[in-house]
Amino acid sequence: MKKLMLLLVIPFLVVVIGVVGMGGYLYYSLQRTVSAEMQEGLERYQSPHRYGEVQDGDPLSILFIGVDAEDGEAGRSDTMIVVTLNPDKGSYYMVSIPRDTRTDIVGHGTVDKLNHAYAFGREEMTAASVEHFLDIPIDHVLSVNMTGFQEMIDLVGGVTVQNELDFQYNEHVFRTGEMHLDGEQALAYTRMRSEDPRGDLGRNDRQQLVIQGLLQEAASIQSITKIPGFLDIAGDHIRTNMDMGDVTTLFQHYRPALDTKEQLAIEGTGDTIEGVWYFIVDEAEQERISSELKRHMEL
């Protein structure tokens, strides 16, 4: 299986909190992993939508990119989720952007499916194109490939979700109700969209169910003891523009933002243009989503 990775931003932050809190060797290990491995080849992204420096505790945003690629390949971003964090309001907003969304690919000079931006310019071009689409700054970027996702789910002992749709994907059968999924099952659970009446939107909801399940597992004492294994996975499969200063700031100032979650859904229609199927989001819907995120980020 090569397709689909999930947003691990919130679980990543929870594990980071555990590392920073435990100090000593684990802190050193995190610092080494972030600076020497996760940042390798990724420029320090500075959003042109930001007017001035972000102060500690100011609302900010993180773009998660789930990559459909083997190690060393460019691939395409199969999952794109923006999370905005506002510690004063004690909340975070989460919005999934369908991968087939038709929009400008900033820096490439084309109008194309948004997930193609990663193949053209990896994290930097994807972030710039998402910023243009949503008209908000993207402050941090974090990308992870399929192998890393599956290994992280298995490391924490699987995730529990409340499934709302009966379906089968390859050899995996999913029934409505509470289910506990290992890494392979979770990957299959979040890949299916052809049998979902809501298509990409339904798949996005299942992705976020797995994210919440992983958050709960990553925040547990048992999972915190597995941080060295998590760091090994992160070094191999996660790329980010965050440095240790950003990590420390997130730990010190943004934990209150995890208290309440608000999920936004982008509505649109499917259309075929010159033989290619796209997810079309009209200007009014773009403005609605953008306004909600700007309000949360106090822009």
Side-chain angles (χ1 to χ4, degrees):
M1 297 181 184
K2 293 184 179 181
K3 294 194 173 182
L4 187 58
M5 266 305 308
L6 281 183
L7 174 61
L8 301 180
V9 167
I10 302 302
F12 173 76
L13 296 183
V14 170
V15 174
V16 164
I17 288 169
V19 174
V20 176
M22 294 177 77
Y25 173 74
L26 290 180
Y27 183 89
Y28 168 77
S29 298
L30 174 64
Q31 184 177 39
R32 182 182 58 194
T33 300
V34 171
S35 62
E37 301 175 34
M38 293 168 64
Q39 285 189 303
E40 184 178 3
L42 183 58
E43 295 295 326
R44 176 78 176 166
Y45 183 78
Q46 178 62 46
S47 169
H49 288 243
R50 276 291 184 195
Y51 304 101
E53 293 291 325
V54 178
Q55 301 300 312
D56 293 348
D58 286 348
L60 56 75
S61 65
I62 304 174
L63 169 65
F64 173 86
I65 305 169
V67 180
D68 168 20
E70 297 291 351
D71 293 342
E73 296 180 356
R76 294 176 181 174
S77 52
D78 198 66
T79 300
M80 290 161 287
I81 305 179
V82 172
V83 176
T84 62
L85 301 165
N86 189 320
D88 287 342
K89 293 183 177 180
S91 63
Y92 67 98
Y93 278 25
M94 182 181 291
V95 57
S96 299
I97 308 176
R99 62 181 185 175
D100 295 325
T101 299
R102 190 172 191 266
T103 188
D104 293 312
I105 306 300
V106 176
H108 196 255
T110 58
V111 177
D112 206 335
K113 294 184 178 184
L114 184 56
N115 72 328
H116 289 189
Y118 188 88
F120 298 143
R122 302 197 73 169
E123 289 87 357
E124 291 89 346
M125 190 172 290
T126 303
S129 300
V130 169
E131 282 192 328
H132 176 78
F133 178 72
L134 295 176
D135 193 29
I136 64 167
I138 297 297
D139 298 301
H140 298 301
V141 181
L142 187 145
S143 65
V144 60
N145 66 32
M146 178 277 298
T147 303
F149 163 68
Q150 187 167 329
E151 290 180 3
M152 287 176 192
I153 293 289
D154 286 333
L155 181 65
V156 299
V159 296
T160 300
V161 300
Q162 190 69 32
N163 183 39
E164 297 182 354
L165 179 68
D166 283 334
F167 67 93
Q168 180 172 345
Y169 189 86
N170 295 334
E171 71 275 18
H172 301 287
V173 177
F174 303 96
R175 301 299 184 195
T176 55
E178 185 174 282
M179 299 187 66
H180 191 77
L181 311 175
D182 63 21
E184 182 179 352
Q185 292 168 329
L187 190 64
Y189 182 70
T190 57
R191 288 185 63 188
M192 191 282 291
R193 63 174 179 168
S194 61
E195 296 180 32
D196 194 312
R198 300 177 61 229
D200 247 348
L201 299 179
R203 189 182 71 157
N204 290 343
D205 286 346
R206 292 195 305 280
Q207 291 172 2
Q208 295 191 19
L209 285 175
V210 173
I211 292 165
Q212 293 173 50
L214 185 55
L215 168 59
Q216 293 170 355
E217 296 297 333
S220 70
I221 297 299
Q222 292 83 357
S223 292
I224 291 299
T225 64
K226 298 176 181 178
I227 287 174
F230 178 90
L231 293 179
D232 287 342
I233 297 170
D236 290 337
H237 301 294
I238 292 179
R239 283 163 49 89
T240 182
N241 67 344
M242 288 186 279
D243 59 23
M244 276 305 298
D246 298 319
V247 169
T248 303
T249 296
L250 288 168
F251 165 69
Q252 292 176 336
H253 299 285
Y254 289 88
R255 282 179 295 173
L258 303 181
D259 290 343
T260 304
K261 170 181 175 265
E262 177 86 19
Q263 180 175 336
L264 303 179
I266 297 178
E267 301 294 336
T269 57
D271 194 12
T272 300
I273 301 175
E274 297 182 354
V276 179
W277 190 92
Y278 295 95
F279 184 77
I280 306 297
V281 183
D282 63 31
E283 291 185 9
E285 178 66 0
Q286 281 184 259
E287 177 61 28
R288 181 184 72 84
I289 296 294
S290 177
S291 296
E292 285 287 325
L293 295 176
K294 286 178 179 177
R295 180 179 62 80
H296 189 243
M297 295 180 70
E298 300 178 7
L299 298 175

